[in-house]
Amino acid sequence: MFAVDHLAAMLRRAGDFLFPPACAGCGRMLASHGAVCQRCWQSIAFIERPYCQVLGIPFSHDLGEGFLSAEAIANPPEFDRLRSVCAFDAAARSLVHALKYRDRTELAPMMAGWMARAGKELLADCDVLIPVPLHTRRLLSRRFNQAAELAFAVSRQTGKPMLATAVRRTRNTAHQVGLGRAGREDNVRGAFTVTVNGKQEVMGKRIVLIDDVYTTGATVSAIARALRRAGAADIAVLTFARALPDTI
């Protein structure tokens, strides 16, 4: 056992020498992997109460328990509640892109820890976690699903089971970047289905959908509709970052 531990320590030191720990936000050297520096931490726009009880949109002042945003009233979502760690600004974008496009999967546990805190009330009541799935073709080109990495880390930290294959993306949709709300909705309409086994697993369950970023909600809404048809009792959404209404 000592020899194995010693070898593991040597490999970690060698890895740190070749790939020294760095802040995912700015690249500044750090003492450990999977962290951000103090300056980047302070620049993250964390979403705290008070906020809309449905969409999690932050309010400038407390409007009372259960108060809803104009967006939630005018366009009620397909899901029941949404919570996010922070606004999708420059600091959050650096972290999301590092995980998603630069294979910084070691960031997932840190980001998931923040998500578990932001979504504490959702996770306390839920039965299962479901990551937003990628189409097989895109998964092969990207090599991993960032939503699944986050869901797996949230599952490990909270003990909530994760259903990785309950929902399938049946159509390889175009990238959502650059599309408006209507274009995003058209792009993902009918793109998700609950699998045969998934229908048995989600029937009557309280579900938390996990994704990296919430923009217009088109993707999670399409999944929520499929889950409703499969008999899910409650559907919440938990993301790392979200675009606020005036930035969509």
Side-chain angles (χ1 to χ4, degrees):
M1 181 63 71
F2 174 79
V4 172
D5 292 342
H6 183 64
L7 177 60
M10 289 179 61
L11 291 174
R12 283 195 298 270
R13 287 195 293 270
D16 289 346
F17 177 78
L18 294 172
F19 305 101
C23 171
C26 64
R28 181 178 300 177
M29 293 298 102
L30 297 175
S32 60
H33 290 283
V36 295
C37 68
Q38 184 177 3
R39 185 173 65 179
C40 287
W41 167 269
Q42 292 174 340
S43 68
I44 296 173
F46 289 100
I47 296 175
E48 303 285 354
R49 294 181 184 276
Y51 48 63
C52 170
Q53 291 301 300
V54 172
L55 289 176
I57 298 171
F59 296 139
S60 59
H61 57 281
D62 194 346
L63 298 173
E65 185 67 26
F67 198 88
L68 302 183
S69 62
E71 174 73 11
I73 296 171
N75 300 293
E78 300 285 347
F79 48 85
D80 295 288
R81 292 169 307 287
L82 165 70
R83 297 292 181 265
S84 302
V85 172
C86 58
F88 191 47
D89 56 12
R93 186 175 290 106
S94 294
L95 290 172
V96 169
H97 285 188
L99 170 65
K100 191 171 182 177
Y101 301 120
R102 299 203 299 275
D103 298 349
R104 295 286 303 276
T105 54
E106 79 277 5
L107 296 175
M110 176 192 73
M111 296 166 71
W114 298 352
M115 291 170 69
R117 174 182 175 274
K120 183 178 180 180
E121 64 192 91
L122 309 182
L123 295 166
D125 295 334
C126 86
D127 299 307
V128 295
L129 311 176
I130 295 180
V132 170
L134 288 178
H135 189 269
T136 304
R137 189 176 303 169
R138 189 165 297 172
L139 181 60
L140 290 173
S141 65
R142 192 176 288 173
R143 299 186 301 280
F144 70 94
N145 177 2
Q146 74 281 353
E149 293 290 328
L150 292 170
F152 178 71
V154 171
S155 176
R156 290 194 64 180
Q157 294 178 28
T158 63
K160 297 292 182 177
M162 167 180 153
L163 299 179
T165 59
V167 177
R168 188 164 62 93
R169 199 171 194 135
T170 56
R171 183 159 50 82
N172 191 20
T173 55
H175 289 286
Q176 297 277 67
V177 177
L179 299 178
R181 182 186 295 273
R184 287 171 179 256
E185 290 174 354
D186 289 340
N187 190 38
V188 297
R189 185 172 289 113
F192 300 94
T193 185
V194 179
T195 64
V196 174
N197 289 336
K199 289 178 181 178
Q200 299 175 354
E201 294 172 320
V202 305
M203 174 68 73
K205 297 296 177 59
R206 300 174 65 88
I207 295 165
V208 172
L209 288 175
I210 302 286
D211 205 2
D212 55 347
V213 180
Y214 178 96
T215 307
T216 64
T219 298
V220 291
S221 292
I223 297 173
R225 283 191 290 270
L227 289 169
R228 293 274 190 219
R229 290 194 296 268
D234 187 88
I235 304 164
V237 178
L238 178 59
T239 71
F240 177 72
R242 64 155 299 152
L244 296 177
D246 60 350
T247 62
I248 293 175

